[in-house]
Amino acid sequence: MDKYKTEVEMLENYDANKYKTPDGYTSDIAVFTIISTEVEKHKPPVKELKLMLIQRAEKDAEGQPNVEGSKWALPGGFVQPDETAFEAASRELEEETGVTNLKIKHFGTYDKPGRDKRAWIISNAHYAIVPENQLVKRKAADDASDVQLFTLEEVSQLELAFDHEQIIADAIWIIKKDMGLTTLAKNFLPEEFVLSELQGVLLTVLDDSWIKLDSQFFRKAPSLPFIEKVMVDGELKKSNRWSKNKAQLYKFTDYEPFVSIYNANY
Amino acid sequence: MDKYKTEVEMLENYDANKYKTPDGYTSDIAVFTIISTEVEKHKPPVKELKLMLIQRAEKDAEGQPNVEGSKWALPGGFVQPDETAFEAASRELEEETGVTNLKIKHFGTYDKPGRDKRAWIISNAHYAIVPENQLVKRKAADDASDVQLFTLEEVSQLELAFDHEQIIADAIWIIKKDMGLTTLAKNFLPEEFVLSELQGVLLTVLDDSWIKLDSQFFRKAPSLPFIEKVMVDGELKKSNRWSKNKAQLYKFTDYEPFVSIYNANY
DNA sequence: ATTTTAATTAACAGTTTGTTATTTGTTAAT
DNA sequence: ATTAACAAATAACAAACTGTTAATTAAAAT
């Protein structure tokens, strides 16, 4: 019946030297933000999806060459025994960006033997979405530092530490999926937004031909069950932040849509 | 700049006693199957979703009372340093069911401090789908053993070890989600199947009112892009396995459907 | 004032939905 | 054999929704 023993049964008659245990348990976070750069007044700005990376030091504290030194890596760190990997990610993200209440999601465990040459290190990967205005101030504060935002294009050119290239590829795949399947876009947008802003956010991440076609998107969007028109005193609230003509403001509702491949449109 | 150190930078000037490391790294697997029981010839059988659990021994090898003894738990075990948690899950599942090539998916990491009273044990949770015919023979082989299949109804009545109640709840939630969003149903079905079988599998897991309505489901299903009619020599292949009248056989195609909440039907 | 731009509405044919009814082939019972 | 019962497949049809193009509205720029 040996094969039916669970971890803890095995631990019962378990002496600490008999089973090897991991040498480190860490959390890494792929921090995404969308940077808008205004090109012209009353024009929708150019939006770009960016990822925050840190550059590993060339030399360690003793002045010795650092392993994977000078390469770029996801921010992260050790999980402490009194917290979960998720909590560690949240704590570390707060330390690095100074922003709280961010959307964080655990999306994978990276534990392939040899991913770190020197030890058995497990990493829990998370993604986080930071509204751009919150990150921009920090970015300006310490420019030319070892923390930088890169477009995905740029990231693909960088030398990345460990298996972070894979983790980043997975993170990108996941946020694309979640962007289409959940109301993740909410985390990139202000409380109240205009349909073209929503479309912009979606297209920055997604490249979906249906969303790209204005006539289709703007026709269907107003009746999506998870957003609603903003009203003030029974009047429709509008904005001309991005366009010459006033456009309707929307906000997300609490409704969490559920779709299925069995009654979808193809 | 301390806050920007990644796990491995920290490991550089890291002495093994300074940072606590996990005491155990394990994989658990929620093994699901659908059991069909024929009630009448030429009638669709009653289908039930079942979960495989093992009962923890009352006493350990030394005859001492076992922690969480006699409670039911997910099968699982330690991850070895030369494999990933996913590989461990796959290996253990094979050991327990004797079946290979199963659909396994990692869906969560359970590392809340205190989830195991005695040590810092991390569990990676996976779900697996076993076609019923493959599991049934094993089940018959050692009946009245400490391995049993339970309906979800029954599971909710059981005393479960550790945080497995939570893990199981999450697993159920995930397979419901994946059942509607991916072609997961494929793993519960034979290569060739009839629409009512597909509907039966979906409803066993999902309880979706749209799928439940025959008129809607049978009308739309034939044109779903991820299944196709089975042909032999240019003739439609039919079967009357489940009904008096011959029904069209279908099989899954390679097409992986992608749906989005932005152009879905509500 | 006139032109330009962008958001919104309107219009319309073609398609897909939800629904109900009909047809077809098969089993089971008289 | 004839008939009743049944389930799969098909037909029919109004209502809703799709993709698309055109018209309308309002503010900005000239």
Side-chain angles (χ1 to χ4, degrees):
Chain A
M1 287 284 103
D2 234 79
K3 65 175 66 154
Y4 296 134
K5 293 211 166 156
T6 54
E7 68 257 34
V8 183
E9 288 183 82
M10 292 177 76
L11 202 69
E12 296 293 312
N13 32 359
Y14 160 78
D15 110 61
N17 301 317
K18 211 152 106 201
Y19 292 95
K20 193 162 184 321
T21 63
D23 300 310
Y25 187 53
T26 70
S27 275
D28 286 314
I29 313 113
V31 184
F32 290 98
T33 194
I34 291 182
I35 299 295
S36 305
T37 37
E38 193 152 338
V39 284
E40 211 178 325
K41 257 192 98 160
H42 289 296
K43 279 269 165 130
V46 175
K47 282 172 149 57
E48 273 185 310
L49 183 65
K50 300 220 175 185
L51 177 64
M52 186 175 122
L53 293 175
I54 67 174
Q55 190 166 29
R56 293 173 51 70
E58 288 273 10
K59 301 183 183 293
D60 66 15
E62 281 84 42
Q64 296 300 309
N66 206 349
V67 171
E68 308 265 0
S70 88
K71 292 187 182 173
W72 291 86
L74 295 169
F78 280 102
V79 178
Q80 288 155 14
D82 63 347
E83 64 182 4
T84 64
F86 185 83
E87 287 161 356
S90 175
R91 171 177 55 74
E92 281 153 9
L93 180 57
E94 217 176 299
E95 288 169 9
E96 318 232 4
T97 65
V99 186
T100 54
N101 288 328
L102 293 173
K103 160 86 178 186
I104 303 183
K105 188 175 164 188
H106 178 254
F107 71 83
T109 295
Y110 294 81
D111 57 359
K112 198 166 169 198
R115 63 180 288 275
D116 184 309
K117 283 189 269 303
R118 294 150 307 159
W120 184 10
I121 305 268
I122 300 155
S123 169
N124 281 284
H126 304 75
Y127 74 71
I129 308 293
V130 186
E132 57 177 316
N133 51 342
Q134 313 227 30
L135 199 55
V136 162
K137 55 174 137 61
R138 151 140 216 126
K139 181 66 176 52
D142 56 3
D143 214 339
S145 81
D146 51 357
V147 190
Q148 259 183 259
L149 294 178
F150 295 97
T151 64
L152 301 192
E153 174 72 29
E154 290 163 349
V155 169
S156 70
Q157 307 293 322
L158 294 177
E159 270 234 273
L160 294 164
F162 311 107
D163 55 357
H164 287 196
E165 185 173 343
Q166 182 63 54
I167 300 180
I168 290 169
D170 293 349
I172 293 168
W173 189 85
I174 288 274
I175 70 160
K176 284 187 183 189
K177 209 182 84 163
D178 284 358
M179 185 65 75
L181 245 32
T182 73
T183 53
L184 183 62
K186 173 164 53 178
N187 302 284
F188 281 110
L189 288 166
E191 189 71 22
E192 300 180 352
F193 55 90
V194 143
L195 288 188
S196 61
E197 288 181 279
L198 172 60
Q199 187 192 30
V201 165
L202 294 173
L203 290 178
T204 303
V205 177
L206 263 182
D207 188 43
D208 177 303
S209 64
W210 188 90
I211 294 170
K212 205 175 288 172
L213 232 188
D214 290 7
S215 57
Q216 297 180 153
F217 182 76
F218 286 103
R219 173 121 101 75
K220 176 126 183 180
S223 64
L224 290 173
F226 49 86
I227 59 173
E228 62 184 9
K229 296 180 178 175
V230 180
M231 311 280 289
V232 272
D233 326 321
E235 294 283 305
L236 293 169
K237 188 173 174 192
K238 310 208 169 191
S239 150
N240 54 352
R241 208 174 346 161
W242 303 116
S243 61
K244 298 169 183 174
N245 203 348
K246 277 181 185 147
Q248 178 63 50
L249 283 168
Y250 288 80
K251 63 179 175 191
F252 278 91
T253 67
D254 289 333
Y255 181 77
E256 264 303 321
F258 178 77
V259 293
S260 140
I261 59 172
Y262 292 95
N263 68 350
N265 298 323
Y266 293 99
Chain B
M1 288 285 107
D2 235 81
K3 65 176 66 155
Y4 296 133
K5 293 210 167 158
T6 54
E7 68 259 36
V8 182
E9 289 184 82
M10 293 175 74
L11 203 69
E12 294 294 311
N13 33 357
Y14 160 78
D15 111 62
N17 301 317
K18 211 153 110 199
Y19 293 96
K20 197 164 182 318
T21 64
D23 300 310
Y25 187 53
T26 71
S27 276
D28 287 314
I29 313 111
V31 184
F32 290 97
T33 193
I34 290 181
I35 298 296
S36 304
T37 38
E38 192 152 338
V39 284
E40 212 177 326
K41 259 189 93 160
H42 289 294
K43 279 270 163 121
V46 175
K47 284 174 149 55
E48 274 185 310
L49 182 65
K50 300 219 175 186
L51 177 63
M52 187 175 123
L53 294 175
I54 67 174
Q55 190 167 30
R56 294 172 50 70
E58 288 273 12
K59 298 181 186 296
D60 66 16
E62 282 84 42
Q64 296 300 309
N66 205 349
V67 171
E68 307 266 0
S70 87
K71 292 187 182 173
W72 291 86
L74 295 169
F78 278 101
V79 178
Q80 288 154 15
D82 63 347
E83 65 183 2
T84 64
F86 185 84
E87 287 161 358
S90 177
R91 170 177 54 75
E92 281 153 10
L93 180 57
E94 218 174 298
E95 287 169 9
E96 317 231 6
T97 65
V99 187
T100 54
N101 288 328
L102 293 173
K103 161 86 178 187
I104 305 183
K105 188 176 165 188
H106 178 253
F107 70 83
T109 295
Y110 294 82
D111 57 358
K112 199 167 168 197
R115 63 179 287 276
D116 185 307
K117 282 188 272 301
R118 293 150 309 160
W120 185 11
I121 305 268
I122 300 156
S123 169
N124 280 284
H126 304 74
Y127 74 72
I129 308 292
V130 186
E132 57 177 316
N133 51 343
Q134 313 228 29
L135 198 55
V136 163
K137 55 172 135 63
R138 151 136 217 129
K139 181 64 175 55
D142 57 3
D143 217 338
S145 81
D146 52 356
V147 189
Q148 260 183 257
L149 293 177
F150 295 97
T151 64
L152 301 192
E153 173 73 28
E154 289 163 349
V155 169
S156 69
Q157 306 293 321
L158 293 177
E159 270 234 274
L160 294 164
F162 311 108
D163 55 357
H164 287 196
E165 184 173 341
Q166 182 63 52
I167 300 179
I168 291 169
D170 293 349
I172 293 168
W173 189 85
I174 288 275
I175 70 161
K176 285 188 184 189
K177 208 183 84 165
D178 284 357
M179 184 65 75
L181 245 31
T182 74
T183 53
L184 183 61
K186 172 163 56 179
N187 301 284
F188 281 110
L189 288 166
E191 189 73 19
E192 300 180 350
F193 55 89
V194 142
L195 288 188
S196 61
E197 289 181 278
L198 172 58
Q199 187 192 30
V201 165
L202 293 174
L203 290 178
T204 303
V205 177
L206 264 184
D207 187 43
D208 177 304
S209 64
W210 189 90
I211 294 170
K212 203 175 287 170
L213 232 187
D214 289 9
S215 56
Q216 296 179 154
F217 181 77
F218 287 103
R219 172 118 102 76
K220 174 125 184 181
S223 64
L224 289 172
F226 49 87
I227 61 174
E228 63 185 7
K229 296 178 178 179
V230 180
M231 312 280 291
V232 272
D233 325 322
E235 295 282 304
L236 294 168
K237 188 172 175 192
K238 309 209 171 192
S239 150
N240 54 352
R241 206 174 348 162
W242 303 115
S243 60
K244 300 169 183 175
N245 203 346
K246 279 181 184 144
Q248 178 62 50
L249 283 170
Y250 288 81
K251 65 180 174 191
F252 278 90
T253 67
D254 289 333
Y255 180 77
E256 265 302 321
F258 178 77
V259 294
S260 137
I261 61 173
Y262 292 95
N263 68 350
N265 297 322
Y266 294 97

